[in-house]
Structures are given as C-alpha cells and as structure tokens.
Amino acid sequence: MDDFYTQKDDYKKDMGIRMRKCRTNSNLTQAKTADILNTTAKHYGEAERGVVGLSVNKLLCFSNFFDVSIDYLLKGKTDTTALPFLLINMYESCPDEKKGSLLELLKCIDKLVNFDR
C-alpha cells in the first residue's frame, strides 16, 4: 500500500490546485468559498495550498457545490459517468410541465451528436 501514497501527502497539493481552479472558474474568493464550506478562510486557503486536507464532509460539500466528482478532486480523474447523473438530476428538478420540452431538446441534441449514424 505504501507504493500508492507518499509520506509528503503530495495529493493535497494537487487537490488544492484543482480546488483553486474550480473556485476561480466560478469567480469566487477564498473567503466566500470558505463560507460555503462552513470553514475559516485560513483553513480553506491552507487546503488550496496543500498544507492541510479537507474532511470528507467538506469534500462532499465542495464536490456538490462545484459539481465535480470527488475522484477528480482527489486523483484528478474525471468521472465519465457523471453526465448521466447530471441529466437525471436536471430532469428530476425540472417542473412537470416542462419535462416534455426537456426530453424533446435532448432528443434533438442526440440527433445532432449522432448525425452520421
């Protein structure tokens, strides 16, 4: 198991870089992001710099707020199954009277994407 992890916790620095990217892409400050995570700006800043990690609860909160997978945050890998869940959540949160229109839109997108089939 030691082959997969380093003593220096290098994953924290890499995760911090990915967290910073999510935050800056959303035009948020460290202080605002810390508020969202219900932590201090100091702790969040240290997490972005890779000095400390985040608790599982804070990782889940970050993942949900920025709509990124925990796999991406921890390992830098994008979850290729995330899009179907995003579409399901979009459909389920859509008002009933608009669900038919959303399905028609998705069918049109499918035709555009699969035009050559």
Side-chain angles (χ1 to χ4, degrees):
M1 192 69 142
D2 290 335
D3 294 339
F4 298 109
Y5 300 99
T6 64
Q7 293 283 337
K8 297 181 182 180
D9 292 333
D10 290 335
Y11 77 93
K12 289 179 187 174
K13 287 185 181 185
D14 294 337
M15 183 176 72
I17 291 167
R18 290 186 282 276
M19 290 168 53
R20 183 179 309 118
K21 183 177 178 183
C22 292
R23 177 182 61 78
T24 58
N25 285 345
S26 297
N27 296 316
L28 293 175
T29 64
Q30 284 186 345
K32 179 61 179 167
T33 306
D35 286 344
I36 291 164
L37 298 178
N38 195 27
T39 192
T40 66
K42 179 181 185 266
H43 182 78
Y44 179 76
E46 289 174 343
E48 269 196 12
R49 289 189 304 280
V51 176
V52 298
L54 292 178
S55 68
V56 172
N57 190 35
K58 301 292 186 219
L59 277 173
L60 286 169
C61 183
F62 191 97
S63 169
N64 289 334
F65 183 83
F66 289 100
D67 198 26
V68 295
S69 71
I70 291 180
D71 228 22
Y72 168 73
L73 291 172
L74 292 173
K75 300 188 292 186
K77 296 181 181 178
T78 303
D79 183 0
T80 57
T81 63
L83 185 57
F85 291 115
L86 175 65
L87 292 175
I88 290 168
N89 288 337
M90 186 185 309
Y91 179 79
E92 288 176 351
S93 66
C94 186
D96 287 341
E97 64 273 9
K98 295 185 178 182
K99 285 183 177 177
S101 297
L102 178 60
L103 288 175
E104 288 302 315
L105 178 61
L106 291 172
K107 287 177 186 175
C108 290
I109 292 169
D110 183 55
K111 286 179 184 176
L112 287 172
V113 170
N114 296 307
F115 180 74
D116 58 342
R117 285 191 201 178

